[in-house]
Amino acid sequence: MGDSARFEEDDENLMPETASDCLFCKIGAGEIPADVVHASDRVVAFRDVNPKAPTHILIIPKDHIASAEAITDKDGDILAEMFQAAVHLARSEGVDRSGWRLVTNVGPDAGQSVPHLHLHLLGGRGLGWPPG
């Protein structure tokens, strides 16, 4: 999913200019509409607008974390909640038995177009390896 957020180097972590400019922060706060399929106090999941599989859901923390590279020890609970949401959504989407994939990208060369930590839940078709 592309957006207009710009990456800047800040202490070797990719960050948007400010969290208030972050597309996913705005979706998490309900300021930008999305096809939300799961929401809690700390996690939001919504359908990707440019799906790469029949099931393609993005799972984000509401609080801004730039990428997996920016995760700290204090983020363990939110990561666990994101993975639990993925399991719940895989079941509710009916891909739990056939198989599904979780992907996160770090930086533009890996395909991270939105500088906010997000998991891609992909399923509903055979997924090749290696990805890309």
Side-chain angles (χ1 to χ4, degrees):
M1 177 176 173
D3 70 84
S4 61
R6 294 179 301 197
F7 284 91
E8 290 187 356
E9 292 294 324
D10 179 21
D11 295 329
E12 299 181 6
N13 289 319
L14 295 172
M15 299 286 291
E17 290 181 22
T18 66
S20 64
D21 294 334
C22 176
L23 174 67
F24 286 176
C25 285
K26 291 179 179 181
I27 290 173
E31 297 171 12
I32 294 178
D35 186 0
V36 174
V37 293
H38 172 85
S40 71
D41 291 340
R42 301 185 311 169
V43 171
V44 174
F46 52 95
R47 296 193 188 281
D48 195 302
V49 297
N50 187 22
K52 304 301 182 198
T55 295
H56 189 168
I57 296 171
L58 302 176
I59 304 165
I60 66 167
K62 286 185 176 180
D63 289 338
H64 188 80
I65 301 171
S67 72
E69 185 177 43
I71 293 169
T72 67
D73 291 344
K74 71 176 181 57
D75 297 317
D77 288 345
I78 194 69
L79 293 172
E81 187 173 337
M82 291 172 69
F83 275 81
Q84 290 166 346
V87 171
H88 167 76
L89 289 164
R91 288 180 183 142
S92 67
E93 292 288 312
V95 297
D96 57 317
R97 292 186 184 208
S98 60
W100 48 283
R101 181 176 290 165
L102 281 180
V103 177
T104 189
N105 301 310
V106 179
D109 282 354
Q112 184 183 12
S113 61
V114 180
H116 185 114
L117 176 66
H118 54 286
L119 301 176
H120 295 259
L121 169 60
L122 300 157
R125 68 169 174 82
L127 300 169
W129 192 262

